[in-house]
Amino acid sequence: MKHLTKLAAVFLALAMLFTVAGCGTGGESSTGGEAANTNNADFKVGVIHIGDPADGAGYSYAHDLGIVDMQAALKLTDEQVIRKINVNDTDAVATRTAIEECIEEGCKIIFGTSWGYMDTMEQLAAEYPDIVFSHGTGYKSNGTNFNNYFGRIYQARYLSGIAAGLKTQTDKIGYVAAMGITNSEVTGGVNAFAMGVESVNPDAKIYVKVTESWFSPDLEKQAAEALLDAGCDVISQHCDTTAPQLAAQSRGVWGVGYNSDMTKDAPQAHLTAPIWNWGVYYTKAAKAVLEGTWDGANYYGGMDDGLVDISPLSENCAEGTKEKIEEARAKIMDGSFKVFEGELFDNAGNQVCKAGEVISDADITGAMNWYYRNVEVK
């Protein structure tokens, strides 16, 4: 696969339209601050995408907006950014080949954006100690040239749950999940969303349909349609494409997307979406490698540093949604409210958090194998 210079130019134009929003509505992919001053023409950055950013929405698109932000901030040419697209993260051979191609082209840091790249990146980090391997999601790292990056997307999930809880009329909200209860990344997102729903609509239930695939437009569509058939009138998602939002729109109901603002894709259905401003991290990481200050530390950002947010609320949202979300946002930002704190119970009636306690980020991302009390798996 070859890097996409024309695509990068298009994304650069798009990315410059976005800014990180303050309180109110979210924004996409902007780092802010002054650009790094570098003339290092030999410095190259690689990125491994599970999909194709050219789809204009979803997971790979959101990541590549961040890569474009990084490129602009560090003043890198198109030739200094090596993209590998449509790399199946369940295919270790394809993953290794894509990463080794980046190494052969001279990349000093390589970002692997999907969970399934983790083991291969771990292996290659041991083989190439002078290259930095930075893995998104997952949990492995070596403290030197292989780290992990992710963030508190559950904060944005909670806010998007408020929008869904206020919009539903059937009190049935569907959730298309890429992975099941054993994957804490997905489960934590489901639970935070469900808690946001409950905060404004204690009668609503969240029905989860698992695809067992991070990227599958067909499976995502089928799962969404099954949930719609079951009476859900809002469809949320933790999967990579716009398929669930398009399915919701085709039935005349509502949706909460993920990764990027999907209002343009399903304008009659979309409410908002938890989004990532990946440029916040990509710029920081690449700059550290370029300047020789890389320390191998893992990164876990949140709303406070602009890594996560929600997209602008669409006109489809129920009256009062903005006010409720702003109230919750302010408490998250000032630290007076943490999503997973106090007395919490799972859907089997077990207490999973006690009064005065807070579930740690480590447990949210690595040990959350339960669903919140208003969640049911279909």
Side-chain angles (χ1 to χ4, degrees), residues 64-84:
D64 214 65
L65 284 177
I67 292 294
V68 170
D69 267 1
M70 176 274 299
Q71 179 181 349
L74 301 186
K75 299 181 180 178
L76 303 181
T77 67
D78 289 344
E79 289 71 25
Q80 290 175 272
V81 179
I82 311 301
R83 292 172 173 84
K84 303 297 177 179

Side-chain angles (χ1 to χ4, degrees), residues 256-272:
V256 172
Y258 183 40
N259 291 304
S260 63
D261 187 354
M262 294 181 174
T263 304
K264 64 184 183 302
D265 305 286
Q268 298 169 13
H270 197 243
L271 303 175
T272 187

Side-chain angles (χ1 to χ4, degrees), residues 127-146:
E127 297 174 27
Y128 297 92
D130 295 331
I131 307 297
V132 171
F133 299 84
S134 192
H135 179 248
T137 75
Y139 56 90
K140 290 185 177 182
S141 61
N142 66 11
T144 55
N145 71 322
F146 172 49

Side-chain angles (χ1 to χ4, degrees), residues 106-189:
C107 294
K108 300 301 183 183
I109 179 171
I110 301 169
F111 297 108
T113 63
S114 189
W115 178 283
Y117 302 144
M118 178 170 60
D119 291 343
T120 301
M121 295 194 84
E122 179 184 38
Q123 295 162 11
L124 287 169
E127 297 174 27
Y128 297 92
D130 295 331
I131 307 297
V132 171
F133 299 84
S134 192
H135 179 248
T137 75
Y139 56 90
K140 290 185 177 182
S141 61
N142 66 11
T144 55
N145 71 322
F146 172 49
N147 82 326
N148 174 264
Y149 64 95
F150 200 58
R152 298 177 181 86
I153 193 64
Y154 62 83
Q155 296 173 332
R157 293 268 187 208
Y158 183 92
L159 297 183
S160 70
I162 293 174
L166 290 172
K167 189 64 179 181
T168 181
Q169 297 178 355
T170 64
D171 288 336
K172 293 181 177 181
I173 298 173
Y175 198 110
V176 180
M179 298 293 163
I181 196 170
T182 59
N183 186 287
S184 297
E185 176 191 333
V186 178
T187 306

Side-chain angles (χ1 to χ4, degrees), residues 15 29-31 61-71 276-280 282-283:
S29 194
S30 179
T31 58
Y61 172 72
H63 275 283
D64 214 65
L65 284 177
I67 292 294
V68 170
D69 267 1
M70 176 274 299
Q71 179 181 349
W276 295 91
N277 299 314
W278 290 112
V280 170
Y282 287 142
T283 301

Side-chain angles (χ1 to χ4, degrees), residues 287-338:
K287 185 172 184 286
V289 174
L290 176 59
E291 297 182 346
T293 60
W294 174 265
D295 62 6
N298 292 333
Y299 172 81
Y300 198 69
M303 287 177 59
D304 56 347
D305 64 359
L307 182 73
V308 302
D309 208 329
I310 59 171
S311 65
L313 301 178
S314 81
E315 60 183 14
N316 301 320
C317 289
E319 185 177 352
T321 298
K322 179 180 179 181
E323 290 75 14
K324 286 292 185 182
I325 286 178
E326 289 310 317
E327 180 182 349
R329 179 197 294 274
K331 293 178 180 178
I332 291 173
M333 293 293 283
D334 68 18
S336 63
F337 171 69
K338 295 178 176 60

